[in-house]
Amino acid sequence: MTTAAPMPVPFPFAAIAGQPHLRQALLLAAVDPGLGGVLIEGPRGTAKTTAARALAELLPGAPFVTLPLGASLESLVGTLDLGQALAGHELKFAPGLLARAHGGVLYVDEINLLPDALIDSLLDAAASGVNVVERDGISHRHAARFVLVGTMNPEEGTLRPQLLDRFGLCVQLRNIGDAAERQAIVRARLAFDADPQGFRAKHAQEEAELAAALVRARALVGDAAALPYGDAVHEAVGALCIEAGVDGLRADLVMLRSARALAAWEGSAAITTDHVQRVAEAVLLHRRKPEAEAAAPAPAPRAAKPDGSSNGKDEANSAGDEDWGAMPPEPVGIERVKPLRPLIDRTQAAPKKA
């Protein structure tokens, strides 16, 4: 009889250093799972998986579910329980990973390598909190409220813009360039590997404070009358989204919800423009249009003479701008050439047939 191997002890969230933007984005998504999850871009070894596992431990009784790269759509959303159907001649729903992740964290490594159908179902459930299954002769819906954390390495490909836009927040991690900071992170990891329980005990108080703060912030976000905001907040959100050249209004809505989650996390009485500014980059990073495209001015119309003809000087300048280094046309003389004689003399009569 074989026994299951014990699950590894997670690294404490409170001890994660060197990634402040990652910590903030994950905490905001935990305060308000309706944001649509967090997409983490970055190279290997930047604490992406460690942070996601540590976040689940801060949520009371939260499961941590990993979506395998080769998972099928049925294993994700659920499907018909064939065993029950064959044995009892009844249709019964078999829950998938979305049901298992309810109330916890659903982690997807290398999400950019998943089929689009799986990503669509993931993002639909993450944004709505409900999984709806209409297939295999069954119609079923169940709660699926979880914190979606997806990671990807941009060197291995990216997601389509339509899918990127549906992620609430995005964080782009970099390699740590400060020598002292790198050494502190390595020392902390070695200390954890040598004595996981002892290391966790040193951060137990801070972990408990983070968990309690999450409970308070979630309750505050759930109160529709709490955390008011005025016109200045709306103006700041609109200005930032227009400047980034985003498509649609999803960025505006996510930015307002993120600012509200940050205000709840800090226990503020109202949402301010400072909250908006501090969440703006995570909201706009994956939605911002390329700077060259956003900043490119429209071509000025060519000047025309009163009679409608174009200005020759403007045309020359325009041509010079479009084709730098082009040589001006030169006149070429025409030479008279000797006419060619046809191979067959058409004036001669064709020979008669015998």
Side-chain angles (χ1 to χ4, degrees):
M1 181 178 179
T2 59
T3 58
M7 294 294 295
V9 179
F11 191 88
F13 192 90
I16 296 176
Q19 303 292 1
H21 300 296
L22 173 61
R23 284 171 53 100
Q24 175 176 289
L26 290 176
L27 289 172
L28 294 182
V31 171
D32 184 2
L35 288 176
V38 181
L39 177 64
I40 308 173
E41 300 182 6
R44 299 176 297 273
T46 48
K48 299 188 293 291
T49 306
T50 299
R53 288 186 178 276
L55 179 69
E57 195 179 21
L58 295 180
L59 304 173
F64 181 81
V65 179
T66 301
L67 177 64
L69 190 58
S72 64
L73 183 61
E74 290 78 9
S75 65
L76 176 67
V77 303
T79 186
L80 178 67
D81 190 333
L82 293 178
Q84 290 289 334
L86 294 175
H89 303 286
E90 61 178 353
L91 298 181
K92 186 177 180 180
F93 178 72
L97 294 176
L98 293 180
R100 289 175 50 194
H102 178 60
V105 175
L106 180 58
Y107 177 73
V108 187
D109 195 16
E110 305 292 352
I111 192 170
N112 53 316
L113 302 182
L114 287 178
D116 288 349
L118 266 70
I119 301 176
D120 283 333
S121 299
L122 275 173
L123 295 174
D124 283 342
S128 65
V130 178
N131 178 37
V132 180
V133 183
E134 299 280 352
R135 58 183 304 158
D136 297 332
I138 59 174
S139 176
H140 185 81
R141 58 188 295 135
H142 63 81
R145 200 155 195 81
F146 51 84
V147 180
L148 174 62
V149 180
T151 67
M152 58 176 283
N153 187 347
E155 297 177 355
E156 300 173 351
T158 185
L159 293 171
R160 292 188 292 113
Q162 295 88 339
L163 297 176
L164 280 173
D165 182 55
R166 294 175 63 189
F167 267 97
L169 306 174
C170 180
V171 180
Q172 196 170 60
L173 304 182
R174 305 290 185 183
N175 288 316
I176 305 298
D178 183 74
E181 192 173 13
R182 290 176 72 98
Q183 294 171 20
I185 294 173
V186 171
R187 288 194 181 99
R189 184 67 207 192
L190 292 176
F192 172 77
D193 293 339
D195 183 11
Q197 298 300 338
F199 186 86
R200 288 167 55 84
K202 293 179 181 179
H203 295 87
Q205 180 62 32
E206 191 175 356
E207 284 279 288
E209 293 173 358
L210 287 175
L214 269 179
V215 173
R216 291 193 299 268
R218 282 188 156 195
L220 196 56
V221 164
D223 185 358
L227 302 170
Y229 52 90
D231 293 338
V233 171
H234 270 295
E235 292 173 1
V237 170
L240 288 168
C241 292
I242 292 174
E243 182 182 1
V246 300
D247 291 327
L249 297 175
R250 182 176 282 123
D252 303 62
L253 297 172
V254 173
M255 193 177 297
L256 280 171
R257 294 189 67 160
S258 301
R260 190 168 187 265
L262 180 59
W265 171 254
E266 296 180 346
S268 303
I271 305 172
T272 66
T273 55
D274 178 65
H275 294 128
V276 173
Q277 293 289 342
R278 288 158 62 191
V279 303
E281 184 59 22
V283 176
L284 299 175
L285 178 62
H286 55 307
R287 296 182 171 95
R288 184 181 288 114
K289 293 293 183 64
E291 294 181 0
E293 179 182 348
R302 295 179 181 178
K305 296 180 180 179
D307 59 357
S309 62
S310 60
N311 189 320
K313 182 178 179 180
D314 291 340
E315 287 185 359
N317 291 338
S318 176
D321 292 339
E322 295 176 0
D323 190 9
W324 182 85
M327 298 294 292
E330 297 181 358
V332 179
I334 300 176
E335 297 181 0
R336 186 177 299 277
V337 295
K338 188 176 181 180
L340 300 177
R341 294 179 59 188
L343 296 177
I344 301 176
D345 190 355
R346 299 184 182 276
T347 59
Q348 298 178 359
K352 298 181 179 180
K353 293 183 180 180

